[in-house]
Amino acid sequence: MSLFEEGGGVVEVVDGPARAAREVAGVLLSRTLGPLPEGAGSPVWTIGGAGPVGIDAGDERAAQAACGVMAVHGRAGGAPAPLLAEYVSTVTGVLAAQGATAALLARAHGRAPLRTGTSLAQGALLTVTQYLAAATAESDDPAPPSGPGLATLVTADAVRVEIETLDPTAWAGFWRRLGVPSRTAGHGWLPFQSRFGTAVCPLPPELRAAVAAHPLEAVRHAGAAHGVSVVEVGESTTAPVLAPWTLEPAPLSLLPPHRVPAAAPEADALPLAGVRVVESARRVQGPLAGHVLRMLGADVVRVEPPGGDPQRALPPVAGGCSVRFSALNHGKSVVEADLTTRQGRDTVGELVSGADVFLHNWAPGKDRDLGLDAAALHTLNPRLVYASASGFGTALGPVPPIGTDYLAQVHGGLAAALRPSDEPPAPSLMTVTDVLGGLVLAQAVLAGLLAREATHRGCRVSSSLLSAAALVPRPAPRAALAPLDRPLPTADGLLCLGAEARTRPREVAGTVGAGGPETVARRLRDRTTEEWLTALRTAGLPSVAVRTDLAALAAEPAFARAVLPPDAHQPYARPAAPWSFTEQTDR
């Protein structure tokens, strides 16, 4: 039976605008369902547009506008702007696959068949998790430098480049080689490193001028001399041909003689109740994967260095912890261990021996150096799902660039695909591939757990930021934006026309009393956003307000079921779990 065969009980899509998300979910489920155990039951899943969010237009563009994606992506340019690839749809498709796979796992553990659903709006909200937390927390410390500005630089021979380093010493040496005084270079370090959380990079103009004074070859030479990656940003939107993840079963020789069946979960338990995950991960990609698994019901234990993860101190801080860190790690228990010592590694071994999953996003080769690679941990626990994440995997050779979000956007074709053709290509400073990479890693873990149900063997699963970027449908050649495709100013804010409205510009003009499509933008400035939304809704042209203030989002009734407000335990707003699970009543 085809995955999408009519009446097959495998997929049910309720909103047409979710077609791209459905296609992504189909790709991932086709890859996941190979090891489906007999009699496990077929997953029934839905993808909506608005879901539990009270907005009129539930397509990709509307979800970006209403849920803050346009605002975050547009910060570096000074105004909200759409991501032109189907990014939110891709995120939502991964969420749908996660819900369906988790439902299958619950069924294999004795639960009744489950129906699961998600929506584009919920996917969009998940992508702004850390930005929403930062915007809604009462911070204990001042915010880092802000203001518009991309990190992309232009060389003397007009080549656009992205640079990357996580080492302040390498940063200083790179700029010193280009003739920049250490004090001036130092002023650029904080905004450069903070861009992962702020989505802006207001570098000192002296740094941009220094790169502009040197040809590409000289800039590359400076990078090579100090361990700074320098990558050319091209016009190509082509996606690399990569599997979203790889899965390799543990050796048969390690199979235990028998396995103890898991206790049946409670009828109202989350799908991953009883699953134990050990996570040793930093930044966004790995912690987000653990966060997703925890929201699905898993018990997640973080392994952190003595004294805790240094990122706990990154601003903004509320209640003694970085809110960006907490947004991805709340609800996880913590065990401190120094992995450079035998005792610390033994601690990990003890945790893993009773776990279902071990997850990390260490630098390539670190697992072998520590003696905590898949082969070593499978000898302790042959049923373990060993999950590793990287920036590029093996796709860029044995010595890839530093594996971070923005370089993955460049190599994944997204730096060009996400921006309109009348803008030069540049990575979005929103953490696009970090978020998507974490979601793909979580789905790889779910696929590994499902494979274990069929084979009773553990496995190793691997994914990367680049393999996640390859999933995103994108225009080729680069897309052009018509005037009515952009956020449109009103008397008190910005408005984004819905999908139907954008295809009927003359009807929009008539509805707002403009002489024609070319004067719509001028006419919209005469009245408030809410007045125009009411008029457009009445005319059958539903549209949305463009979110510009994330801080106010949690208090809006339209988001009451999709966003959790700040409370005593978590002093910031955060998206609710992006899936619904209900028992199927039609079987």
Side-chain angles (χ1 to χ4, degrees):
M1 177 182 292
S2 164
L3 187 63
F4 299 117
E5 184 172 331
E6 190 70 27
V10 178
V11 59
E12 174 185 305
V13 177
V14 295
D15 280 0
R19 179 172 289 114
R22 166 185 172 164
E23 292 173 355
V24 170
V27 168
L28 299 185
L29 284 173
S30 293
R31 186 170 185 81
T32 300
L33 297 184
L36 182 64
E38 284 190 29
S42 298
V44 176
W45 50 276
T46 65
I47 301 177
V53 177
I55 57 175
D56 271 344
D59 67 328
E60 165 87 26
R61 196 70 59 83
Q64 287 190 29
C67 299
V69 175
M70 285 189 186
V72 176
H73 167 61
R75 284 179 186 176
L83 294 164
L84 293 197
E86 300 276 0
Y87 175 64
V88 167
S89 294
T90 305
V91 165
T92 307
V94 181
L95 291 174
Q98 289 170 349
T101 309
L104 282 170
L105 285 164
R107 179 65 173 149
H109 294 163
R111 287 285 300 277
L114 295 175
R115 177 187 297 270
T116 180
T118 189
S119 68
L120 295 175
Q122 289 165 290
L125 288 169
L126 186 70
T127 71
V128 296
T129 296
Q130 65 163 327
Y131 308 105
L132 178 61
T136 54
E138 293 189 10
S139 176
D140 301 337
D141 54 3
S146 62
L150 287 166
T152 308
L153 304 167
V154 183
T155 66
D157 38 0
V159 178
R160 298 177 65 80
V161 296
E162 202 73 17
I163 66 172
E164 187 63 278
T165 180
L166 305 178
D167 180 356
T169 302
W171 170 268
F174 170 80
W175 289 109
R176 186 167 58 249
R177 187 169 288 261
L178 295 180
V180 177
S182 295
R183 180 180 294 274
T184 303
H187 291 322
W189 176 246
L190 180 58
F192 182 75
Q193 283 301 298
S194 297
R195 75 198 194 283
F196 288 95
T198 62
V200 296
C201 189
L203 290 174
E206 294 89 344
L207 304 190
R208 298 186 186 279
V211 171
H214 291 81
L216 174 62
E217 193 57 36
V219 176
R220 281 181 168 161
H221 183 72
H226 295 280
V228 174
S229 292
V230 178
V231 177
E232 182 176 347
V233 183
E235 294 275 347
S236 174
T237 64
T238 302
V241 180
L242 290 172
W245 66 83
T246 60
L247 189 155
E248 180 183 354
L252 278 169
S253 59
L254 295 176
L255 277 178
H258 61 85
R259 68 185 182 98
V260 178
E266 299 291 334
D268 59 349
L270 289 169
L272 294 191
V275 172
R276 187 171 179 82
V277 177
V278 177
E279 168 196 306
S280 179
R282 294 186 62 187
R283 303 182 76 87
V284 175
Q285 178 189 25
L288 179 61
H291 178 61
V292 166
L293 297 171
R294 188 197 63 79
M295 286 195 292
L296 286 167
D299 173 27
V300 181
V301 181
R302 275 185 60 79
V303 178
E304 297 187 10
D309 191 317
Q311 293 199 318
R312 290 178 176 273
L314 292 180
V317 172
C321 185
S322 166
V323 297
R324 300 185 194 281
F325 177 92
S326 184
L328 299 180
N329 293 292
H330 68 273
K332 302 174 183 177
S333 56
V334 177
V335 172
E336 294 187 2
D338 182 355
L339 301 187
T340 66
T341 68
R342 169 56 62 185
Q343 182 179 5
R345 294 190 290 273
D346 287 346
T347 297
V348 172
E350 292 170 8
L351 291 171
V352 164
S353 64
D356 298 283
V357 178
F358 178 65
L359 180 158
H360 72 78
N361 64 339
W362 297 333
K366 181 177 178 179
D367 56 350
R368 293 188 300 276
D369 293 342
L370 293 173
L372 296 174
D373 56 352
L377 295 189
H378 276 142
T379 62
L380 298 176
N381 182 352
R383 286 177 48 79
L384 182 72
V385 174
Y386 185 103
S388 62
S390 65
F392 303 105
T394 60
L396 300 184
V399 187
I402 298 170
T404 58
D405 187 299
Y406 308 120
L407 299 194
Q409 288 188 50
V410 173
H411 284 283
L414 293 181
L418 293 175
R419 298 187 182 277
S421 57
D422 61 351
E423 293 181 16
S428 170
L429 291 189
M430 182 175 169
T431 50
V432 168
T433 64
D434 267 339
V435 169
L436 185 55
L439 292 171
V440 170
L441 176 60
Q443 178 60 22
V445 168
L446 294 171
L449 289 169
L450 191 61
R452 190 178 70 172
E453 292 299 322
T455 65
H456 310 305
R457 297 165 64 184
C459 60
R460 175 177 183 172
V461 295
S462 301
S463 67
S464 70
L465 298 178
L466 191 62
S467 70
L471 275 177
V472 182
R474 73 282 305 274
R478 297 175 66 200
L481 282 181
L484 298 187
D485 292 335
R486 302 177 187 272
L488 301 167
T490 65
D492 65 347
L494 293 169
L495 180 150
C496 176
L497 294 177
E500 186 71 13
R502 294 196 303 274
T503 63
R504 295 156 61 186
R506 294 195 175 279
E507 292 184 40
V508 171
T511 299
V512 304
E518 64 281 355
T519 60
V520 165
R522 186 165 65 247
R523 173 65 176 142
L524 288 176
R525 295 177 181 271
D526 295 341
R527 296 168 66 182
T528 67
T529 301
E530 190 55 43
E531 288 175 308
W532 288 129
L533 291 178
T534 300
L536 290 164
R537 183 187 311 122
T538 302
L541 302 168
S543 300
V544 297
V546 178
R547 166 67 49 191
T548 56
D549 180 12
L550 286 179
L553 189 149
E556 290 194 13
F559 291 88
R561 292 193 295 147
V563 174
L564 304 175
D567 57 38
H569 301 290
Q570 292 171 246
Y572 51 85
R574 65 275 187 200
W579 317 269
S580 61
F581 292 99
T582 56
E583 287 193 9
Q584 295 180 33
T585 58
D586 53 351
R587 295 197 167 201

